[in-house]
Amino acid sequence: MTAPPAVVKRLRVAVLASGRGSNLQSLLDACAERDFPAAIALVIVNVPGDKAIDRARSAGVPVAVIDHKGFASREAFDAAVDRELQAAAVGVVCLAGFMRLLTPGFARNWAGRLINIHPSLLPAFPGLHTHRRAIEAGATEHGCTIHYVTAELDAGPIIAQAKVPVLPGDDEDALAARVLVEEHRLYPQVLRLIAEGKVRTVDGQVIIDGPPRNVPS
Ligand code: GRF
């Protein structure tokens, strides 16, 4: 007798995105795979008209457009985001090119369940214009980092990184494109590890059960 298919309980995930949403797309694509252990239950976009909205709708995922301009304070905006996340009963929130600073209170409420992708090898180059700054600094390696979000900007515990070389003659766009390929690879891999319960934090350090910290190509 053939065994019935196992009922897979997927981790419910929200993605917060702004702008072009290519990392959102990589997560949508991964979650569309049959055996992927996470499902995107909600996408939140803070700028009406952003491409991220179309990407979510095309994938049949609910989208909440929460325009930050309609709120008197960061706290009020974050409270609206929090309400949507609670209503969708998500277990993990992925920031994917979300161009709003979240308040310390929000980061505290979602501590351990809120992750971000940043386009540098943190702790190098937190903040903006990371590719330009890496070139200007003469870095020979660059890359991306996925980390837990804490109240301090781009400073939470690092979950995984992917490296690329900085090549002679690179300009900002060429380097950004090389890093972006790795971002699209790394974010779904990390989400899978989290959904499989393989990521733990001990004394502020992330421990991954199974694969090494720098996920190989
Ligand atoms: C990515 O480089 C991401 O690392 C950074 O913002 C960019 C967003 O790109 N946080 P996209 O919107 O995912 O295409």
Side-chain angles (χ1 to χ4, degrees), residues 22-34 36 40 59 188:
S22 70
N23 277 289
L24 165 64
Q25 189 67 56
S26 76
L27 294 173
L28 288 167
D29 292 347
C31 289
E33 286 167 21
R34 196 168 158 270
F36 200 78
I40 299 181

Side-chain angles (χ1 to χ4, degrees), residues 17-25 55 95-99 116-120 131 144-145 176 179-180 183-184:
S18 314
R20 72 186 164 182
S22 70
N23 277 289
L24 165 64
Q25 189 67 56
R55 291 183 189 272
L95 306 183
F98 188 64
M99 298 304 285
N116 181 44
I117 186 158
H118 180 78
S120 79
H131 309 303
C144 57
T145 301
V179 172
L180 197 61
E183 293 187 36
H184 295 163

Side-chain angles (χ1 to χ4, degrees), residues 7 40-41 95 108 132-133 151 184 190 194 202 205 214:
V7 179
I40 299 181
L95 306 183
R108 269 195 300 276
R132 187 195 315 163
R133 287 160 58 210
H184 295 163
V190 167
I194 289 173
V202 178
Q205 292 287 316
N214 289 311

Side-chain angles (χ1 to χ4, degrees), residues 50-125:
D50 267 351
K51 189 151 196 298
I53 299 170
D54 297 335
R55 291 183 189 272
R57 290 199 175 130
S58 299
V61 169
V63 191
V65 181
I66 307 179
D67 185 352
H68 60 273
K69 293 198 183 117
F71 295 85
S73 66
R74 285 190 185 276
E75 285 74 15
F77 171 76
D78 285 5
V81 170
D82 187 75
R83 277 195 295 278
E84 291 286 345
L85 297 174
Q86 303 285 358
V90 299
V92 164
V93 180
C94 296
L95 306 183
F98 188 64
M99 298 304 285
R100 287 293 291 173
L101 284 178
L102 294 163
T103 53
F106 184 94
R108 269 195 300 276
N109 285 344
W110 286 91
R113 298 176 294 159
L114 179 60
I115 62 177
N116 181 44
I117 186 158
H118 180 78
S120 79
L121 296 173
L122 290 170
F125 311 117

Side-chain angles (χ1 to χ4, degrees), residues 92-94 112-118 122 144-149 155-162 186-187 189-195 198-201 204-209 211-215:
V92 164
V93 180
C94 296
R113 298 176 294 159
L114 179 60
I115 62 177
N116 181 44
I117 186 158
H118 180 78
L122 290 170
C144 57
T145 301
I146 296 176
H147 63 95
Y148 285 109
V149 176
I158 290 172
I159 304 170
Q161 295 185 309
L186 192 63
Y187 218 167
Q189 288 185 342
V190 167
L191 184 57
R192 170 184 283 280
L193 290 169
I194 289 173
K198 292 181 176 165
V199 181
R200 298 178 283 133
T201 307
Q205 292 287 316
V206 173
I207 294 170
I208 296 179
D209 299 323
R213 188 186 179 86
N214 289 311
V215 184

